[in-house]
Amino acid sequence: SLITANALPVSIGECGTWLPESIATSGDPLFYPTYPGGEKALNKFIRKNLVYPEILKQLEAEGECTMHFTVHEDGSISDISATECRLTQYNPAKMMNHSEEERIRKECARQMAKEGLRLIRKMKRWNPAIINDAPTVVHHSLKLTFSYEYAER
């Protein structure tokens, strides 16, 4: 599922859901977890709640971060983590101390992960995955793409 992010400071794409092997190979009917109200509601939630990290604003930077979490049978979310957080571009003229570039890149990645964590924690309960008419625990991921173009909204 891809959520287009026209006028959004973050877009979501390349999501995935992982199931226990016994379920994934059984061929049972499956409905993946969804945000209540679908993609439109998720876009609205992001538009209202995302805070573009200050360090990214200062560097006129963009980046991406993949958020992972568990969606439980009741739709609650736990086990939130972030991976593959990285800058994809920035304004080199805004990098005050080039000798500290690696440290600054790591801090940008940390701030994107921190904002992704805050944003997902703030979400309401999801609609859980359904297998054989029963809610099921699954692991889910969402790739957040931070776009500077929308940082000043």
Side-chain angles (χ1 to χ4, degrees):
S1 165
L2 176 66
I3 298 173
T4 56
N6 301 337
L8 287 181
V10 67
S11 63
I12 299 177
E14 298 182 32
C15 64
T17 301
W18 292 267
L19 304 170
E21 190 172 320
S22 61
I23 294 172
T25 59
S26 69
D28 296 329
L30 171 69
F31 294 95
Y32 291 98
T34 58
Y35 188 79
E39 293 177 359
K40 192 173 187 176
L42 184 55
N43 273 325
K44 183 178 179 181
F45 171 83
I46 291 168
R47 218 176 2 274
K48 181 179 177 185
N49 293 285
L50 181 100
V51 178
Y52 204 84
E54 192 59 39
I55 191 168
L56 271 69
K57 286 183 193 178
Q58 292 170 4
L59 295 172
E60 297 177 6
E62 298 186 352
E64 58 189 25
C65 192
T66 302
M67 303 303 299
H68 304 274
F69 52 94
T70 300
V71 180
H72 295 273
E73 296 98 333
D74 64 357
S76 62
I77 295 172
S78 69
D79 307 321
I80 305 167
S81 64
T83 61
E84 302 168 26
C85 300
R86 65 184 185 89
L87 285 182
T88 54
Q89 69 179 37
Y90 66 93
N91 183 343
K94 300 287 184 174
M95 184 77 70
M96 298 303 226
N97 187 346
H98 291 283
S99 66
E100 299 227 5
E101 183 173 354
E102 187 58 31
R103 184 191 64 75
I104 292 169
R105 283 178 170 274
K106 286 180 182 177
E107 180 60 19
C108 288
R110 192 178 78 75
Q111 291 299 320
M112 286 185 286
K114 185 177 174 181
E115 178 56 16
L117 178 67
R118 188 195 68 78
L119 197 64
I120 289 174
R121 279 184 177 155
K122 190 175 176 110
M123 288 180 178
K124 60 175 116 178
R125 290 177 188 255
W126 281 51
N127 300 315
I130 304 292
I131 298 175
N132 290 332
D133 296 323
T136 304
V137 174
V138 293
H139 305 290
H140 196 66
S141 69
L142 293 173
K143 185 175 183 178
L144 303 178
T145 304
F146 292 79
S147 300
Y148 180 73
E149 177 181 353
Y150 305 110
E152 296 299 323
R153 287 189 331 94

